Amino acid sequence: MSKPRIGFIGLGNMGTPMSARLLEAGYTVIGTDLSAENRARLVASGGSAVQSTGEVAALADVLILMLPNSSIVESVLESDGAAAALPQGAIVVDMSSSEPLRTRALAERLAASGGPTLVDAPVSGGVGGAVNGKLTIMAGGDAETIETLRPILEVLGKVRHTGEVGSGHALKALNNLLSATHLLVTSEAMAAGKEFGLDPQTMLEVFNSSSGRSGSTENKWPNFILPGSFDSGFGLALMLKDMRIAASLAESLGRPSQLGARAVELWGQAATELDPASDHTEIARWAASKD
């Protein structure tokens, strides 16, 4: 049986290495992006690039979206007509960090109009995980559809079936709220320790062999903050967006989080004081600048 043709919309920091891995695994990939440079990278990797989302959809058995937010996902699928252009039986996989309740509503609208099946499969693991095929993929949708997609998704990382459609986006947002809160409090602790005279590397070594360890101490601080590169590939604005999705979801369910809400507030303040294009690891520099 031939492998399904994959359409890929959104060839940015994550989409480019993800599409490259699919090509390496022998899949046909047709993609598009607003950036001509990103489209050229797909072609250089062996894929095909077209100008419009409708052209991508018309050629795809599985359409993967890696886009900034729910509004753009909805625009591509509904306003731009990508959903209508898909062949009968095609599946849409929204790997963006979208809003779970909007994802669920979108899936219902597509189904009601006889359109494609929509599943959500957001990822965690950053650019490094995308390059190495080590992403954690949170897949929401019916079990049969997820199993159909599993060979494709496992090229990109480890698949966790999280429940019904929208559940992947909910879990991704909640994960990033945790991640961002960890990073901010770690940065505050590092700033206090350095002020006291502690060596940053020693602090990280102790944290990572003790109960204070987290993804921030094991990855973000040693790899992007301590060296001063601040180039994890995930923007501060995107992290704040995911935090707000998680806080809004909790509020809508009657489960507000006081600590989470305060973390969102502080990250929002940082976003107004830092360059809009800042990497999310810049929160450490911002935290260190506070008196």
Side-chain angles (χ1 to χ4, degrees), residues 22 37 50 67 119 125 156 160 177 196-198 248 277 280:
L22 291 167
E37 182 180 351
V50 296
L67 298 167
V119 304
L156 306 174
R160 302 275 189 172
L177 178 60
F196 184 77
L198 293 171
S248 176
H280 81 283

PDB file of all heavy atoms in Angstrom, residues 22 37 50 67 119 125 156 160 177 196-198 248 277 280:
ATOM      1  N   LEU A  22       9.535  13.860   7.672  1.00  0.00           N
ATOM      2  CA  LEU A  22       8.551  13.083   6.919  1.00  0.00           C
ATOM      3  C   LEU A  22       9.078  12.722   5.539  1.00  0.00           C
ATOM      4  O   LEU A  22       8.872  11.597   5.050  1.00  0.00           O
ATOM      5  CB  LEU A  22       7.245  13.868   6.814  1.00  0.00           C
ATOM      6  CG  LEU A  22       6.491  14.038   8.141  1.00  0.00           C
ATOM      7  CD1 LEU A  22       5.401  15.083   7.998  1.00  0.00           C
ATOM      8  CD2 LEU A  22       5.898  12.707   8.606  1.00  0.00           C
ATOM      9  N   GLU A  37      11.251  31.887   1.523  1.00  0.00           N
ATOM     10  CA  GLU A  37      12.455  31.201   2.006  1.00  0.00           C
ATOM     11  C   GLU A  37      12.097  29.854   2.621  1.00  0.00           C
ATOM     12  O   GLU A  37      12.782  28.844   2.387  1.00  0.00           O
ATOM     13  CB  GLU A  37      13.174  32.071   3.039  1.00  0.00           C
ATOM     14  CG  GLU A  37      14.463  31.463   3.577  1.00  0.00           C
ATOM     15  CD  GLU A  37      15.138  32.352   4.601  1.00  0.00           C
ATOM     16  OE1 GLU A  37      14.709  33.507   4.784  1.00  0.00           O
ATOM     17  OE2 GLU A  37      16.115  31.887   5.229  1.00  0.00           O
ATOM     18  N   VAL A  50       3.906  24.885  -3.067  1.00  0.00           N
ATOM     19  CA  VAL A  50       2.920  25.581  -3.887  1.00  0.00           C
ATOM     20  C   VAL A  50       2.584  26.904  -3.210  1.00  0.00           C
ATOM     21  O   VAL A  50       2.999  27.179  -2.082  1.00  0.00           O
ATOM     22  CB  VAL A  50       1.652  24.727  -4.089  1.00  0.00           C
ATOM     23  CG1 VAL A  50       1.981  23.464  -4.879  1.00  0.00           C
ATOM     24  CG2 VAL A  50       1.014  24.368  -2.754  1.00  0.00           C
ATOM     25  N   LEU A  67       0.420  26.199  12.675  1.00  0.00           N
ATOM     26  CA  LEU A  67       0.109  27.612  12.526  1.00  0.00           C
ATOM     27  C   LEU A  67       0.062  28.306  13.889  1.00  0.00           C
ATOM     28  O   LEU A  67      -0.016  27.651  14.924  1.00  0.00           O
ATOM     29  CB  LEU A  67      -1.229  27.764  11.796  1.00  0.00           C
ATOM     30  CG  LEU A  67      -1.240  27.188  10.369  1.00  0.00           C
ATOM     31  CD1 LEU A  67      -2.660  27.075   9.830  1.00  0.00           C
ATOM     32  CD2 LEU A  67      -0.370  28.033   9.451  1.00  0.00           C
ATOM     33  N   VAL A 119      -8.423  16.182  13.781  1.00  0.00           N
ATOM     34  CA  VAL A 119      -7.839  15.795  15.064  1.00  0.00           C
ATOM     35  C   VAL A 119      -6.830  16.860  15.450  1.00  0.00           C
ATOM     36  O   VAL A 119      -6.317  17.597  14.600  1.00  0.00           O
ATOM     37  CB  VAL A 119      -7.157  14.406  15.011  1.00  0.00           C
ATOM     38  CG1 VAL A 119      -8.123  13.341  14.548  1.00  0.00           C
ATOM     39  CG2 VAL A 119      -5.933  14.437  14.110  1.00  0.00           C
ATOM     40  N   GLY A 125       8.617  19.837  22.908  1.00  0.00           N
ATOM     41  CA  GLY A 125       9.967  19.357  22.645  1.00  0.00           C
ATOM     42  C   GLY A 125      10.812  20.355  21.883  1.00  0.00           C
ATOM     43  O   GLY A 125      12.022  20.167  21.755  1.00  0.00           O
ATOM     44  N   LEU A 156       7.678  11.710  13.863  1.00  0.00           N
ATOM     45  CA  LEU A 156       7.969  13.001  14.482  1.00  0.00           C
ATOM     46  C   LEU A 156       8.224  12.905  15.983  1.00  0.00           C
ATOM     47  O   LEU A 156       8.835  13.802  16.566  1.00  0.00           O
ATOM     48  CB  LEU A 156       6.804  13.967  14.238  1.00  0.00           C
ATOM     49  CG  LEU A 156       6.401  14.143  12.764  1.00  0.00           C
ATOM     50  CD1 LEU A 156       5.148  14.991  12.669  1.00  0.00           C
ATOM     51  CD2 LEU A 156       7.546  14.763  11.972  1.00  0.00           C
ATOM     52  N   ARG A 160       0.906  10.325  22.259  1.00  0.00           N
ATOM     53  CA  ARG A 160       0.045  10.051  23.408  1.00  0.00           C
ATOM     54  C   ARG A 160      -1.381  10.380  23.002  1.00  0.00           C
ATOM     55  O   ARG A 160      -1.684  11.520  22.658  1.00  0.00           O
ATOM     56  CB  ARG A 160       0.434  10.945  24.585  1.00  0.00           C
ATOM     57  CG  ARG A 160       1.874  10.801  25.043  1.00  0.00           C
ATOM     58  CD  ARG A 160       2.021   9.668  26.017  1.00  0.00           C
ATOM     59  NE  ARG A 160       3.347   9.650  26.617  1.00  0.00           N
ATOM     60  CZ  ARG A 160       3.696   8.857  27.618  1.00  0.00           C
ATOM     61  NH1 ARG A 160       2.814   8.029  28.131  1.00  0.00           N
ATOM     62  NH2 ARG A 160       4.915   8.880  28.110  1.00  0.00           N
ATOM     63  N   LEU A 177       1.712  26.205  30.532  1.00  0.00           N
ATOM     64  CA  LEU A 177       1.533  27.022  31.728  1.00  0.00           C
ATOM     65  C   LEU A 177       2.483  26.546  32.823  1.00  0.00           C
ATOM     66  O   LEU A 177       3.127  27.350  33.506  1.00  0.00           O
ATOM     67  CB  LEU A 177       0.086  26.948  32.208  1.00  0.00           C
ATOM     68  CG  LEU A 177      -0.240  27.724  33.489  1.00  0.00           C
ATOM     69  CD1 LEU A 177       0.044  29.213  33.321  1.00  0.00           C
ATOM     70  CD2 LEU A 177      -1.685  27.497  33.908  1.00  0.00           C
ATOM     71  N   PHE A 196      23.666  36.443  45.863  1.00  0.00           N
ATOM     72  CA  PHE A 196      24.273  35.991  47.108  1.00  0.00           C
ATOM     73  C   PHE A 196      25.731  35.597  46.914  1.00  0.00           C
ATOM     74  O   PHE A 196      26.518  35.580  47.859  1.00  0.00           O
ATOM     75  CB  PHE A 196      23.480  34.800  47.662  1.00  0.00           C
ATOM     76  CG  PHE A 196      23.962  34.318  49.000  1.00  0.00           C
ATOM     77  CD1 PHE A 196      23.648  35.011  50.160  1.00  0.00           C
ATOM     78  CD2 PHE A 196      24.740  33.170  49.106  1.00  0.00           C
ATOM     79  CE1 PHE A 196      24.106  34.567  51.396  1.00  0.00           C
ATOM     80  CE2 PHE A 196      25.195  32.718  50.338  1.00  0.00           C
ATOM     81  CZ  PHE A 196      24.876  33.424  51.500  1.00  0.00           C
ATOM     82  N   GLY A 197      26.096  35.267  45.657  1.00  0.00           N
ATOM     83  CA  GLY A 197      27.459  34.863  45.373  1.00  0.00           C
ATOM     84  C   GLY A 197      27.605  33.413  44.952  1.00  0.00           C
ATOM     85  O   GLY A 197      28.729  32.920  44.790  1.00  0.00           O
ATOM     86  N   LEU A 198      26.490  32.732  44.744  1.00  0.00           N
ATOM     87  CA  LEU A 198      26.551  31.346  44.305  1.00  0.00           C
ATOM     88  C   LEU A 198      26.907  31.268  42.822  1.00  0.00           C
ATOM     89  O   LEU A 198      26.521  32.120  42.029  1.00  0.00           O
ATOM     90  CB  LEU A 198      25.216  30.647  44.543  1.00  0.00           C
ATOM     91  CG  LEU A 198      24.799  30.446  46.006  1.00  0.00           C
ATOM     92  CD1 LEU A 198      23.369  29.939  46.081  1.00  0.00           C
ATOM     93  CD2 LEU A 198      25.751  29.467  46.695  1.00  0.00           C
ATOM     94  N   SER A 248      -7.509  30.578  30.658  1.00  0.00           N
ATOM     95  CA  SER A 248      -8.890  30.792  30.228  1.00  0.00           C
ATOM     96  C   SER A 248      -9.692  29.496  30.307  1.00  0.00           C
ATOM     97  O   SER A 248     -10.861  29.500  30.720  1.00  0.00           O
ATOM     98  CB  SER A 248      -8.900  31.339  28.796  1.00  0.00           C
ATOM     99  OG  SER A 248     -10.215  31.471  28.309  1.00  0.00           O
ATOM    100  N   ALA A 277       9.781  40.190  19.383  1.00  0.00           N
ATOM    101  CA  ALA A 277      10.282  38.963  18.761  1.00  0.00           C
ATOM    102  C   ALA A 277      11.139  38.132  19.714  1.00  0.00           C
ATOM    103  O   ALA A 277      11.779  37.167  19.293  1.00  0.00           O
ATOM    104  CB  ALA A 277      11.085  39.298  17.515  1.00  0.00           C
ATOM    105  N   HIS A 280      11.324  32.926  24.238  1.00  0.00           N
ATOM    106  CA  HIS A 280      10.712  32.838  25.563  1.00  0.00           C
ATOM    107  C   HIS A 280      11.744  32.717  26.682  1.00  0.00           C
ATOM    108  O   HIS A 280      11.452  33.073  27.831  1.00  0.00           O
ATOM    109  CB  HIS A 280       9.710  31.682  25.626  1.00  0.00           C
ATOM    110  CG  HIS A 280      10.300  30.339  25.854  1.00  0.00           C
ATOM    111  ND1 HIS A 280      10.944  29.615  24.875  1.00  0.00           N
ATOM    112  CD2 HIS A 280      10.334  29.556  26.974  1.00  0.00           C
ATOM    113  CE1 HIS A 280      11.331  28.461  25.376  1.00  0.00           C
ATOM    114  NE2 HIS A 280      10.988  28.396  26.633  1.00  0.00           N
TER     115      HIS A 280
END
